[in-house]
Amino acid sequence: MKDPYVTLGVSKNATAEEIKKAYRKLARELHPDVNQNNPSAAERFKDVTAAYDILSDKTKRARYDNGEIDGEGNERPGFNFNQGGSGGGAYWRGSSKGGFDFSDIFGGASFGTEGGFSDFASFFRGGNSRERSFKQKGSDINYSMEVSFIDAALGAEKEVKLANGKRIKVKIPSGTDNETILRLKEQGNPGIGGGRPGDAMVRILVNKHPLFTREGLDIIAEIPISIKEAIKGGKITVPTLDGKVSVTVPEGSNHGSILRLRGKGISKGGKRGDLLLKLYIVISDTSDTELNEFLSRWHSSEIDVRKKAGII
C-alpha cells in the first residue's frame, strides 16, 4: 500500500498548510491537461489526489496514523472490530469451545457453517471494505486546421481526422477569425475511472487571400484602373465574396479613391460589413506614343499637386 506521506513528499509531522501546499504543487505538475498522452502522469495525479484526501481530513489522517486504514483508505483487518484492552488495540476473546468467540462484536453471529459467516475473507471483501472511486475528466487534444479566406468569411463544413482515427465534420461559422478555437465536446482523451472524455480543441488558421484583406467585418480590395477610367469614369467588373459584380468608377477618380459596396463584406452575428474598393491608377504602356505626345503638350493648366496636398 502506498504511504500518503511519501506520495505527497511530506513528513508525518507536516502541518495541514504544508500538506495543502505540497498537493497543489504536485497537482499542477501532474494534471492531465498539461500531460496529454501521458498515462503515468494521470496515474500519479490519481495517487496524489487520493493521498491528499486522507491527509487533509483530520479523522482519516488520525485513523491512518493509528493503523486503522491503509494508504488507500480501506479498513485494515482487525481494526473494525470492537476495541478493548488497556492499549486500545483490537482483541478476540477465546470461547469455551476453543477458537474465537465473535458474539460480542457481531451481535451474536459466529463464524461457522450454521447461521453465521461461513467465509471470513468474503465478509471483509463484501461487507466492510470501502471501495474508493476516482473520476477524472479526460485531457483535451489540440488540433490545427487551415481554411481559405472565403470559407472563413462565408462559413463552411470541413472534416477533421482525430487522434483515434475517427473522422468528424466540423462546422466553420461565417465570419470566423484567424486563430479561432473551436471546441468539439468529448472528442478528446478518455476519462479516468469513468470520467467523461476531454474535448478536441481545433485552432482555425485562415489563409491569406491574393486580393482581399479583412478589417473587422469589412473587406478591402485594391482595384487597378486605367488613366482613361480615372479621368472619364466608366463601368468595371470586380470580384466579391458572392461573385463578380459591375460597379461605376466616377469621373475624375484619383489614385486611392474608395468605392464602398454595402453589405458585401463579412457576415457575423446577424451583421454584415462592406466591401471597400481602393482604386489605384495603372499606366498600362509607358511607350504609348500618342499618350506621351499629349502629355508633352498638356502643361498650361497643370498645377503642382504636391503643393496642393500641403507636402511642400
Side-chain angles (χ1 to χ4, degrees):
M1 297 300 177
K2 297 177 181 178
D3 186 336
Y5 290 103
V6 175
T7 301
L8 291 182
V10 297
S11 70
K12 290 187 180 295
N13 297 322
T15 64
E17 187 60 33
E18 289 171 338
I19 291 171
K20 182 186 293 185
K21 183 177 180 181
Y23 169 71
R24 286 179 176 175
K25 180 178 182 295
L26 290 171
R28 284 195 298 267
E29 295 173 358
L30 299 171
H31 198 281
D33 286 350
V34 295
N35 291 277
Q36 295 182 14
N37 303 319
N38 187 352
S40 62
E43 189 64 27
R44 281 273 291 131
F45 181 76
K46 174 183 174 181
D47 292 341
V48 165
T49 302
Y52 181 69
D53 178 59
I54 292 175
L55 299 185
S56 63
D57 186 297
K58 290 182 179 180
T59 301
K60 293 179 183 178
R61 183 179 180 183
R63 296 195 69 205
Y64 175 78
D65 291 342
N66 289 334
E68 298 175 30
I69 59 175
D70 62 22
E72 295 181 356
N74 299 315
E75 300 286 346
R76 290 185 184 276
F79 278 95
N80 58 334
F81 298 147
N82 188 36
Q83 303 295 303
S86 60
Y91 74 99
W92 297 325
R93 187 180 64 199
S95 71
S96 60
K97 297 179 181 179
F100 300 97
D101 181 3
F102 294 91
S103 59
D104 290 342
I105 303 170
F106 299 108
S110 62
F111 288 88
T113 58
E114 297 181 2
F117 298 99
S118 61
D119 188 345
F120 179 81
S122 67
F123 169 75
F124 281 101
R125 285 198 301 269
N128 280 23
S129 63
R130 181 167 61 92
E131 181 182 355
R132 296 177 57 80
S133 61
F134 176 85
K135 288 187 178 182
Q136 172 66 37
K137 173 182 175 291
S139 58
D140 298 336
I141 302 180
N142 297 312
Y143 298 88
S144 294
M145 176 187 289
E146 292 188 7
V147 300
S148 69
F149 184 95
I150 301 296
D151 284 342
L154 298 179
E157 188 175 74
K158 298 291 183 180
E159 186 177 74
V160 61
K161 183 179 180 181
L162 303 178
N164 59 8
K166 182 180 178 181
R167 293 180 178 273
I168 62 174
K169 298 291 186 179
V170 178
K171 184 177 181 180
I172 311 297
S174 62
T176 295
D177 292 298
N178 188 40
E179 301 285 347
T180 293
I181 303 294
L182 301 181
R183 181 185 294 271
L184 307 181
K185 293 286 188 180
E186 299 191 359
Q187 297 298 328
N189 287 319
I192 300 171
R196 74 177 184 85
D199 302 329
M201 313 296 286
V202 182
R203 184 165 64 110
I204 303 300
L205 303 176
V206 181
N207 293 326
K208 292 183 178 180
H209 192 275
L211 177 63
F212 300 136
T213 58
R214 178 176 176 176
E215 287 190 5
L217 295 183
D218 292 336
I219 294 176
I220 298 176
E222 293 189 346
I223 304 296
I225 59 174
S226 67
I227 294 177
K228 181 179 179 180
E229 289 168 335
I231 296 173
K232 301 290 291 181
K235 294 279 188 181
I236 63 172
T237 300
V238 297
T240 72
L241 293 177
D242 307 306
K244 296 178 180 180
V245 298
S246 178
V247 298
T248 299
V249 176
E251 291 185 13
S253 293
N254 282 313
H255 186 90
S257 294
I258 293 179
L259 305 181
R260 182 183 293 271
L261 303 185
R262 297 193 179 277
K264 292 294 184 180
I266 302 290
S267 178
K268 186 176 183 179
K271 298 180 180 180
R272 187 160 188 181
D274 303 330
L275 173 59
L276 308 180
L277 305 177
K278 188 175 182 180
L279 307 179
Y280 67 96
I281 299 171
V282 174
I283 300 175
S284 57
D285 186 1
T286 57
S287 63
D288 188 327
T289 303
E290 184 178 356
L291 177 60
N292 286 331
E293 289 178 353
F294 169 75
L295 292 175
S296 296
R297 296 192 303 269
W298 187 46
H299 59 80
S300 58
S301 61
E302 186 175 5
I303 62 174
D304 191 329
V305 293
R306 284 166 295 284
K307 185 174 182 180
K308 182 178 179 181
I311 297 175
I312 57 175

